[in-house]
């Protein structure tokens, strides 16, 4: 059944910041440019709502539940009679998760922050990803791909971005805490050996790796990688 979630979770990775070089460590591009407009858009933008926005307490649409178009597009709801993700542990390596949100408060089972003292999300990106994965089936707001999955916030970025060193720590935490799936909504234009080695370590221990790709299109087909060589 976990393979089922490998397929449907590919749907969640909608926006991904990039790595840029900054000395010995690698810094991720500021999230502000990528996400500020997205998360300041109001609920009246139906396309945003249908894609990945989690309605807030004061939104009129929050009074009824919808299945977003992307969930329907991959027919996730057609498999809920078999499983809704119960018992699947998913680490969201991102900006944290708003664990007080009514769509997520029963789904967030724990987490860690490598940049401050709390894995609360003050940016919004990690919460959006978490909502697409596992927003509860509770008659209000939206419902996620796997509404009974267990979420774990691995906070490695804030509104300014984040460092590769923190991401590596987050991936190690996921391994030590027996995650089944790790999602990473960020990318890189450069090869990073340490990152590959850590991902290989997780993969060899049976963890399913989900990563973002393709946000900016393909301007240089000559550097394409054979997907058969990837473990993600």
């Amino acid at each position: 059944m976990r393979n089922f979630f490998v397929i449907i979770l590919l749907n969640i990775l909608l926006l991904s910041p990039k790595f840029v070089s900054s000395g010995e460590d690698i810094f991720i591009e500021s999230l502000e440019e990528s996400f500020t407009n997205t998360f300041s858009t109001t609920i009246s933008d139906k396309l945003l709502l249908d894609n990945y926005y989690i309605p807030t307490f004061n939104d009129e649409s929050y009074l009824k539940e919808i299945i977003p178009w992307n969930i329907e597009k991959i027919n996730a709801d057609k498999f809920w009679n078999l499983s809704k993700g119960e018992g699947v542990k998913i680490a969201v390596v991102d900006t944290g998760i708003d664990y007080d949100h009514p769509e997520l408060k029963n789904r967030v089972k724990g987490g860690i922050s490598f940049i401050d003292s709390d894995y609360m999300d003050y940016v919004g990106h990690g919460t959006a990803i978490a909502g697409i994965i596992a927003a509860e089936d509770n008659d209000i707001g939206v419902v996620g791909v796997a509404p009974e999955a267990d979420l774990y916030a691995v906070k490695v970025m804030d509104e300014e971005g984040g460092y590769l060193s923190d991401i590596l720590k987050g991936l190690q935490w996921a391994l030590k805490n027996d995650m089944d799936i790790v999602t990473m909504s960020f990318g890189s234009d450069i090869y990073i050996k340490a990152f590959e080695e850590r991902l290989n370590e997780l993969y060899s221990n049976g963890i399913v790796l989900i990563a973002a790709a393709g946000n900016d299109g393909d301007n240089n087909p000559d550097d394409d990688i054979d997907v058969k060589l990837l473990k993600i």
Side-chain angles (χ1 to χ4, degrees):
M1 184 55 65
R2 189 170 65 172
N3 288 338
F4 164 64
F5 292 105
V6 175
I7 300 300
I8 60 180
L9 281 174
L10 290 172
N11 183 58
I12 72 170
L13 299 167
L14 302 165
L15 297 170
S16 59
K18 298 177 183 178
F19 289 124
V20 294
S21 180
S22 178
E24 295 182 356
D25 205 350
I26 303 297
F27 189 73
I28 298 178
E29 243 174 33
S30 172
L31 295 174
E32 184 174 357
E33 180 180 355
S34 298
F35 306 125
T36 297
N37 291 337
T38 296
F39 291 102
S40 63
T41 305
T42 66
I43 200 68
S44 61
D45 187 335
K46 188 175 186 299
L47 179 61
L48 181 63
L49 168 63
D50 286 351
N51 270 283
Y52 50 83
Y53 188 87
I54 304 178
T56 59
F57 303 101
N58 297 323
D59 295 325
E60 291 184 7
S61 61
Y62 192 77
L63 300 178
K64 60 181 180 179
E65 185 171 71
I66 65 169
I67 298 177
W69 78 269
N70 48 351
I71 308 301
E72 290 186 334
K73 184 69 173 180
I74 59 174
N75 294 315
D77 53 316
K78 303 298 191 297
F79 292 87
W80 287 342
N81 62 317
L82 300 176
S83 173
K84 291 186 176 182
E86 182 178 0
V88 178
K89 299 170 66 175
I90 303 174
V92 181
V93 182
D94 213 289
T95 60
I97 299 176
D98 180 358
Y99 46 74
D100 289 330
H101 196 292
E103 293 283 16
L104 299 172
K105 63 182 182 180
N106 295 323
R107 303 271 43 91
V108 179
K109 304 300 182 179
I112 191 169
S113 174
F114 291 97
I115 59 175
D116 54 27
S117 60
D118 188 9
Y119 54 81
M120 170 60 77
D121 182 11
Y122 299 107
V123 179
H125 185 259
T127 298
I129 296 298
I132 294 168
I133 298 172
E136 280 203 290
D137 185 3
N138 56 3
D139 299 323
I140 55 175
V142 296
V143 60
V145 170
E148 294 181 5
D150 296 335
L151 297 174
Y152 293 82
V154 181
K155 187 175 179 179
V156 297
M157 295 180 283
D158 59 18
E159 67 278 0
E160 299 296 329
Y163 285 93
L164 172 65
S165 56
D166 291 327
I167 294 173
L168 296 178
K169 293 174 186 176
L171 294 175
Q172 187 66 26
W173 183 92
L175 176 61
K176 290 183 176 180
N177 286 274
D178 301 319
M179 296 293 111
D180 297 305
I181 297 173
V182 171
T183 70
M184 298 162 284
S185 189
F186 48 81
S188 174
D189 291 331
I190 60 177
Y191 169 72
I192 307 168
K193 184 177 180 180
F195 188 45
E196 180 185 23
E197 290 176 345
R198 183 58 49 83
L199 293 176
N200 286 340
E201 183 182 11
L202 269 64
Y203 181 81
S204 65
N205 279 274
I207 297 177
V208 174
L209 305 173
I210 307 295
N215 264 23
D216 295 330
D218 187 358
N219 296 320
N220 186 11
D222 293 336
D223 65 359
D224 286 356
I225 298 174
D226 187 345
V227 296
K228 291 183 291 185
L229 301 178
L230 299 178
K231 296 180 178 179
I232 297 178

